[in-house]
Each structure stands twice: as structure tokens, then as C-alpha cells.
Amino acid sequence: MRMCLLYLFWLAFTLAVPINAGAEATGKRIALVIGNGQYEAAGMLPNAVRDARAFGAFLSARGFDADVVTDADRSHLAEAVSRFVRKISKDDVALFYFAGHGMQLRGENYLVGTDAKLASEFDIAAETLALTDVIKATERKAKIALVFLDACRNNPLANRLNAEIEGATRSLATRGLAPIETESAGTMVAFAAAPGQVASDGSGTNSPFTTALISHLAGPGLEIGTAFKRVIRDVRKATDGKQSPQILSSLSLEFYFNEAAPQQKETPSEQPAIGPQATEIDMDFRKALRINTPRIWSFFLEKHPRGEQADLARQMRTQLDLGDLLRSGSTAAVRESELVLNQTQRRDIQLALAGRGFAAGTADGAFGRQTRQAITDYQMSVGVTGTGYMDEGIAKQLGVAVQAHASGLYSAPLARLYDPKDFEGLETDPRVLKAVACSPVYEKVYGSFQGHLYLVMRASIITRNSASAMAERCGGYLASVTSDAENSFITSLLNADQRLFLSGYDTGTNTSYKMGAWIGLYRDPVSKDSRSSWKWENGEPMNYTKWYKNRANNGKAGNNYALYFTERLGKTDLATQYVDAWKDMAEYDRGYAFVVEFE
């Protein structure tokens, strides 16, 4: 038996046009197939090598130049991947297959070499290969990158290491939950089993997953999306429902291992349901696969609550929800803002704190320093982290009825392209429909905060006035930021994707800088008062600021517009530096992104 410790979170396969024989005519089919079974310290995996050899032979018969590597230690894993990547050209289909031990630690996925001992977390880099490195190296060079992992093997070394680092309870709770974000629109990743499931070695010479892949991927005229539905069906049947491969997809095109027309009709049990309702379900399922967010899967399930697609949709939504929880950049201030507390509720909270012996100051509905300290002290007294901000649970303990409003990330966490047609019949918020239809050539990330929708657009290089004009054409305006909570929400969208920032080094000042998105703050150039002359583009009063180093203007002529910014003295990498402050810039300065706000 094998335990699924490596969680492949994406099946994303999105290109602009269908892939067929003509599209592949100028490219090659290249594959690296790895099977690791002879582990020095993690036990034997009898079928892993046989699986790799069988799948390698299958790929060779399908026109792939397949390099099959077995029982590779960490050094040979790296060498094989490097050799594989060097072969890839921009028009190629590149396929990576791994059967063996995988693991996840602190949200990262790793492929384990046969020489691994994993005595401590500091051995990870030397004894494993980071899965994201393999995927990124492949997808950056290939036209299509396909990744198949039959890595649900019970790994005692990973079990022990996760328990030591995370604690036994958390180790079990987060088993396999390592979401992956791909950078390419032509990447597909598939995994043998759901997180935490045991994947059977099978009674034959190959695992149920690899057996099903070989049985169905090469069906004449069988498109890969249809093939994977059959893979799921066969694996479930072979394991009495104990194992279910993960198919999370943004599949917007067709790819065939075998483009020949079917030679015979399917048996009645294999024939898909027909009729208008079945057609609509299948169309909506494909749309939801391409969008692939918890929100859109929820809409799909509201519309189609029963059937095989509904079962898959629930799996996908659950996994994405868990991934968002692990990725969440939500701050305590943002969570409090989602409660949208009115003045009466704020006074009730202050009175409840005072009644329990925590001095919250005058019950005036204003959460100042004294109230924040009282909230912090109360939180710590009931055994939770003291943040000084309210959430639904703390309010309930204080006897104040509140309810969180729908806020948070609506899109995928990384900016990406969306086809507005995919939202038709699923998305219910007209502002989202407006946002995704706005400039479809720009990658986007979007979410809701206090009833407003915020859209961050990645536009390569763009000036502030061009960004403002684009926001207006979209039906919104460059965002106004009027509170810490609102600023925290916007920056949580920005900082999840480093491609939204323009980073560099200024030799004149010996500083490294990181420029983020334009917002709707500007300075009236005719005003002599550098502080009061700053205004929000939509006319909102300026009662809140978040200037970098607390300075509104550095005196440089023409610096009349604001964007997110940070800098550090010397030449340094700012990739991990969180950006949440603003700096005044000139119109000719250029950023990579801008934030549009919709009422």
C-alpha cells in the first residue's frame, strides 16, 4: 500500500487554440519517466520501477522520445531532469512522469531520491528534488507541459519528519496539502490519489493508476479530458472506492495521445449521457475546470448538485479551499472588516469587555488604543492569539451577534487570463463579469472587500494615466484606500504574485526598489500644500494614508501619483519583501500593475 503525502494541486491545461496534429507538426514529443523503488531507508516499492518501464514503453509507442530512469538517487534525479529540460524546444510537448516516494513539508512538494535519509528538515535540499522546480523548468521551455505523478507511496521518513516539525495532529491535518501554482497556460498536472488516501500497489505488476493511464490515454480519438474521467472511474472500481485520482483542470483545448478515429462504438456502459441537460452539465463542468476557483465550483454545485461531475466538483472545491487556507494572507484587520460592525455592535463589544474586567475605555463605538488592548488581553485570556481585532468567534464569546460578509479572494491567487465566456451561466456577480471582460489580454487577480470588488491587472509596463484610463473603460476607477483593513486586503492580492511588481537597482542612490500597483491617489500640481493637496480620484475624502517612511512627497517635481513601493539600501533581492506602503511617483514612471475598484 502507498500513502499519498505529495499533493498535486493543479490540473491546469489552458492554451489559446486547440492542439491537434497540425499544431504539433513542428514540435517533438519528449518524455522523462522516473521509477524509484529501491530506497535505502524508506523501504521497497515493488511496482514503482515496473510502472515506469510500462509507462515509458506506452509513451514510446505514442511517438514520444522517452528517457526511462530507475532507482535514481538525488544526484541522478537532478541530472535526469537537467538532461530532459535541455532537449525541450518551444514547440514541443514535454511529459514528466514519476513513480516513487513523494512528500510535502510546509506547503512545498518534493520528489525523494533513493539515497534519502531525511534525518532533519535541513536534509531536504540535498536528498530531494523540489517539484515546483521541475514543473517551472519544463513549462518555461515547452509549448505543452504534462506532469503525471504516481507518488502516493507510504513514506515512513516523510511521516516521521512531518510529525517532528509540524506536530502529530497538524502533520495529519495537512498531509498532502501543498497547492501548486503554474506559470504557463499550457501545463497539466495529474496525481494518482486524493490527499491522505492510500494508493494500492494492485494485485498485478502495475499500480491501478498507471494501469488506467495506459488503458485509456491512447484510446483512438479520445481527448485527454474524457480519458481522465475514465481513469478516475477505473481506479475507483479497482480499489473499491478507496482511491480517487485528482483531476483539477482549466482544460480549454483538446489534446490526443492517439488522434485516430474510434474503430468501434463504446459499450452502453461507457457511452456518455446525452440530451440538453447532460450537454449543459458537461459544458459548465469544462468552464469550471478552466476557471478552477472555490467560488466557481460552488456555483457549479448549486446548479448541478448531483452526478459524477458534482462528485468531482466537491473534491476540487474542498482541495482549493484547503489550499487557500494554507496560502491565506488575510490579516486580523481584514477579518474584522468582514464583520462590518456598526456603532451599536462596537459599543456592545466595549461594554462586554468591561463587564469581564477588561478596561476598554468609554463605550463610544470607537476602537482606539485602549479598546484594542482590551481585545488583545481578552483573546489571550481565552487561549487564542492576541491580535487586538475582532472575529466572529470572539464576538460570539462576548455575547455580541455578528456575521461575516462575503469577502476575500474570488479568483486564483496568481494573476492569469480568463475567458469571459467561461463565466456565463455560473458567475452571479455582474461586477465579476465586467471585471473579467475588461481588457482580456491582461492577466488578473480579483476579490471582494466590504461589498466592493477589487481587480488587480498585470499590464507589463503601464503609466499611471494609462492605468486610470483603462480603469474607467472597465467601468471602475483606480482604487481609493481608506483604512488599514482595506489596504491589507489589497496588498494580500498583490503580494501573492511577485510578477505584479517591477524590481530593480538604482546605481545613483545605491538602493534596490520594488514598485507595485498604481492606486487612485494623486496630488493637485497647482496646490502649494503638499499634504492637503493629495486626493482620491473617485472623490472620497483622504482620512487615511500609508506613505512609505511616512512621507507624502519627497519634493521632486512631478511626483504627483501614488503606487505601492518599498526599497532597501544596497543591491539585494526583494522578492520576499512584503509591500504595503505607497510612494509618490511621476507620470512617466512605470509599474507592472494597477488596482481597479468597482462599487
Side-chain angles (χ1 to χ4, degrees):
M1 304 294 282
R2 321 168 195 174
M3 177 60 68
C4 187
L5 291 173
L6 175 64
Y7 171 31
L8 246 307
F9 199 77
W10 272 132
L11 172 54
F13 191 6
T14 54
L15 293 178
V17 296
I19 299 300
N20 50 37
E24 285 189 55
T26 58
K28 307 181 296 296
R29 292 184 170 195
I30 301 170
L32 172 60
V33 180
I34 298 175
N36 275 0
Q38 193 78 25
Y39 283 89
E40 295 178 14
M44 290 282 294
L45 296 175
N47 271 347
V49 171
R50 290 196 290 263
D51 289 338
R53 287 172 177 161
F55 197 66
F58 162 79
L59 292 175
S60 295
R62 300 267 57 83
F64 280 83
D65 174 10
D67 180 14
V68 179
V69 176
T70 60
D71 290 329
D73 58 20
R74 169 59 174 80
S75 175
H76 286 96
L77 278 178
E79 181 184 336
V81 172
S82 178
R83 184 170 63 243
F84 168 60
V85 172
R86 286 197 299 268
K87 292 181 181 179
I88 303 171
S89 300
K90 63 181 179 66
D91 293 322
D92 294 344
V93 177
L95 187 152
F96 177 81
Y97 170 97
F98 180 85
H101 276 322
M103 65 171 292
Q104 74 90 7
L105 184 67
R106 292 190 175 128
E108 291 294 330
N109 296 312
Y110 301 93
L111 308 179
V112 182
T114 55
D115 57 339
K117 305 293 192 301
L118 300 180
S120 76
E121 62 181 303
F122 303 106
D123 296 319
I124 295 289
E127 298 178 1
T128 70
L129 203 61
L131 180 62
T132 53
D133 290 344
V134 178
I135 293 175
K136 287 180 179 179
T138 304
E139 68 183 359
R140 287 173 182 171
K141 296 193 68 176
K143 186 172 188 177
I144 305 174
L146 310 177
V147 179
F148 297 81
L149 290 118
D150 198 350
C152 294
R153 326 286 169 128
N154 183 39
N155 185 344
L157 300 181
N159 293 347
R160 175 191 51 76
L161 191 58
N162 270 280
E164 286 180 359
I165 295 171
E166 303 283 6
T169 301
R170 179 167 170 79
S171 176
L172 290 172
T174 60
R175 179 171 294 171
L177 303 180
I180 286 179
E181 295 292 344
T182 60
E183 294 183 1
S184 169
T187 300
M188 166 185 151
V189 184
F191 194 55
Q197 285 185 340
V198 173
S200 171
D201 281 319
S203 56
T205 58
N206 298 115
S207 73
F209 181 62
T210 297
T211 299
L213 290 177
I214 294 171
S215 298
H216 293 298
L217 291 186
L222 196 60
E223 190 268 330
I224 195 169
T226 302
F228 266 99
K229 289 181 183 178
R230 299 182 182 189
V231 169
I232 294 172
R233 181 192 64 197
D234 276 17
V235 173
R236 284 176 172 173
K237 183 177 180 181
T239 61
D240 294 326
K242 297 177 181 177
Q243 178 184 342
S244 181
Q246 291 305 290
I247 306 299
L248 302 182
S249 173
S250 298
L251 190 62
S252 63
L253 61 121
E254 296 181 349
F255 176 80
Y256 300 84
F257 279 86
N258 181 359
E259 293 176 335
Q263 297 178 349
Q264 60 185 16
K265 293 184 178 180
E266 297 173 325
T267 65
S269 63
E270 293 176 323
Q271 290 177 359
I274 58 175
Q277 185 180 13
T279 301
E280 183 183 24
I281 292 173
D282 188 61
M283 290 177 61
D284 284 347
F285 189 77
R286 284 177 174 270
K287 290 177 181 179
L289 285 172
R290 290 191 287 268
I291 300 169
N292 199 34
T293 64
R295 176 180 175 83
I296 217 68
W297 284 120
S298 294
F299 289 143
F300 175 87
L301 287 166
E302 288 177 12
K303 189 175 180 180
H304 309 293
R306 291 178 294 277
E308 182 180 359
Q309 284 98 333
D311 291 340
L312 289 174
R314 289 186 185 91
Q315 288 183 21
M316 296 171 186
R317 183 180 62 179
T318 298
Q319 292 156 13
L320 288 169
D321 280 337
L322 289 167
D324 285 343
L325 183 62
L326 292 178
R327 280 192 300 260
S328 175
S330 176
T331 66
V334 169
R335 289 194 295 274
E336 181 181 276
S337 71
E338 292 171 357
L339 301 177
V340 194
L341 299 170
N342 57 39
Q343 189 173 28
T344 299
Q345 289 171 319
R346 288 173 175 268
R347 283 199 298 263
D348 289 344
I349 288 169
Q350 290 171 321
L351 290 170
L353 288 167
R356 287 164 174 77
F358 299 92
T362 304
D364 55 4
F367 283 7
R369 181 179 299 177
Q370 193 170 355
T371 301
R372 294 296 180 194
Q373 186 60 54
I375 295 172
T376 299
D377 293 342
Y378 177 73
Q379 288 170 325
M380 296 176 67
S381 74
V382 296
V384 300
T385 302
T387 65
Y389 290 89
M390 296 299 300
D391 58 38
E392 203 166 354
I394 291 297
K396 184 177 180 180
Q397 290 187 48
L398 289 171
V400 180
V402 299
Q403 184 177 0
H405 289 236
S407 292
L409 182 70
Y410 279 5
S411 68
L414 295 187
R416 48 168 286 198
L417 298 177
Y418 291 96
D419 185 344
K421 293 181 180 179
D422 286 339
F423 291 80
E424 295 175 1
L426 293 174
E427 177 60 59
T428 61
D429 189 333
R431 298 170 307 171
V432 173
L433 299 176
K434 184 188 298 185
V436 296
C438 172
S439 298
V441 297
Y442 288 167
E443 293 179 312
K444 303 174 176 72
V445 58
Y446 56 92
S448 172
F449 174 79
Q450 288 192 347
H452 285 206
L453 188 79
Y454 296 80
L455 169 69
V456 183
M457 299 180 69
R458 180 174 180 256
S460 185
I461 295 292
I462 192 166
T463 63
R464 193 272 182 189
N465 286 344
S466 294
S468 179
M470 180 67 70
E472 186 176 353
R473 287 198 296 272
C474 290
Y477 49 85
L478 287 183
S480 62
V481 188
T482 59
S483 70
D484 242 350
E486 186 177 14
N487 192 62
S488 295
F489 175 75
I490 292 173
T491 55
S492 73
L493 298 181
L494 280 173
N495 284 276
D497 190 342
Q498 294 306 304
R499 298 173 304 145
L500 297 172
F501 294 91
L502 173 61
S503 299
Y505 173 68
D506 187 337
T507 56
T509 59
N510 186 32
T511 55
S512 298
Y513 60 85
K514 188 174 181 180
M515 296 168 57
W518 293 107
I519 54 177
L521 189 59
Y522 72 100
R523 178 177 177 266
D524 184 352
V526 301
S527 173
K528 295 181 180 180
D529 186 342
S530 64
R531 291 183 178 273
S532 63
S533 58
W534 286 96
K535 303 176 180 178
W536 290 111
E537 191 174 78
N538 71 335
E540 286 193 70
M542 189 173 174
N543 299 323
Y544 169 82
T545 62
K546 187 69 172 181
W547 290 110
Y548 180 69
K549 292 186 177 179
N550 295 316
R551 64 171 183 254
N553 192 288
N554 60 13
K556 186 176 180 181
N559 280 17
N560 299 323
Y561 306 97
L563 53 62
Y564 284 96
F565 178 87
T566 194
E567 65 184 352
R568 290 291 180 273
L569 188 64
K571 195 169 186 178
T572 185
D573 183 6
L574 298 179
T576 60
Q577 183 66 43
Y578 198 89
V579 179
D580 64 356
W582 322 325
K583 181 172 172 56
D584 53 309
M585 307 295 284
E587 156 58 15
Y588 55 78
D589 287 317
R590 298 178 181 184
Y592 273 174
F594 55 99
V595 187
V596 183
E597 185 173 349
F598 298 89
E599 298 283 354

